[in-house]
Amino acid sequence: MSEDLRNIVLGVVAAGVSAYLGWAFRTHLWRRRLRRKRAFFGLPGNSECLLVVNRDSDADGAVHRFDVFALLELSALIKDCGARAQILRHDIAQLGFGERTEFCVGGPFSNRRTAAHLGSLLPGVRIDTEAATGPERAAFRVGTERYELEAGSTEYVLLARLTKGEGGRPVFLFCGQRAITNQAATRYLARHHERLARKHGSDSFVLLLKVVNTQAYGPDVVELVADVTRAAQTPVAAGEPDPAPAP
């Protein structure tokens, strides 16, 4: 074999080895990210989860289009984990907690399942479901803070990952003052789940998000107001007066 031919063969072999090592490294990183993603969402490969859908409060039995968009956002996450989703209406989802990962979309005024989770898991959260108009409509009370709805301008949504007992699958809540804020919360989760997994691991968390100027920006401009996990999990003392609205 001539020296030139030997150099060509060695170059081809070196290129092949480099390509293989690069592919192996990228595959290792991809598998590690997938394992972390599956662990955070509680979605092992080929597992099944629940998508609990609400109804549009202004239409009998219908699902608001923004909530449909939220379900599509979640479906993409579930598919990426190699899992399957079972869709259930909120009023027939009479199931236990922790056996399967659950994604629950909508506030307590349109989703009974959310109302049940708030009552049993987040006793520090109060949401006004009675007032039809005025600043009280859909107002959030979290601990000692109050957050009022300014439709189209400033709107709030709770994004929560809740677990109960070691080894149980999580429940994700997307509890917004309006349907568009539910979509904003699912989009926020899709964009930031890696950072949230690094910060919180397998622990429960409750984040209060503010959706800014939905009239102009839709569900895209979202600000993290605070991590309200402790306040949301601490029961409110009986007879405690309503706090003033947060600035």
Side-chain angles (χ1 to χ4, degrees), residues 51-199:
L51 281 174
V52 181
V53 300
N54 62 347
R55 62 175 176 81
D56 185 352
S57 58
D58 296 327
D60 186 21
V63 179
H64 196 285
R65 64 188 181 97
F66 288 120
D67 289 326
V68 174
F69 296 153
L71 295 175
L72 292 175
E73 300 266 6
L74 295 173
S75 296
L77 287 175
I78 294 165
K79 184 178 180 180
D80 287 345
C81 292
R84 303 181 305 276
Q86 178 185 2
I87 299 177
L88 290 178
R89 287 204 332 258
H90 71 103
D91 51 349
I92 63 172
Q94 298 176 338
L95 301 167
F97 179 96
E99 295 183 4
R100 288 180 285 181
T101 293
E102 178 181 333
F103 300 91
C104 200
V105 177
F109 21 77
S110 63
N111 191 320
R112 295 180 188 174
R113 185 80 170 172
T114 297
H117 290 323
L118 291 175
S120 60
L121 301 174
L122 300 178
V125 174
R126 295 287 185 271
I127 300 177
D128 195 319
T129 60
E130 302 297 330
T133 59
E136 294 81 13
R137 183 171 68 93
F140 284 7
R141 172 178 171 167
V142 184
T144 60
E145 299 290 341
R146 179 183 173 89
Y147 303 91
E148 295 181 349
L149 167 67
E150 297 178 24
S153 175
T154 302
E155 302 161 62
Y156 295 94
V157 56
L158 291 172
L159 167 60
R161 180 188 189 274
L162 306 174
T163 58
K164 191 175 183 179
E166 188 174 351
R169 301 285 175 83
V171 168
F172 288 87
L173 290 185
F174 309 90
C175 177
Q177 293 178 321
R178 295 177 65 216
I180 195 168
T181 62
N182 299 330
Q183 185 191 0
T186 59
R187 186 166 294 182
Y188 184 92
L189 180 66
R191 290 174 176 173
H192 300 287
H193 65 84
E194 291 184 352
R195 178 176 59 82
L196 294 173
R198 287 193 298 269
K199 181 176 181 180

Side-chain angles (χ1 to χ4, degrees), residues 226-245:
D227 183 331
V228 296
T229 306
R230 179 175 295 182
Q233 293 179 334
T234 303
V236 178
E240 183 176 335
D242 283 346

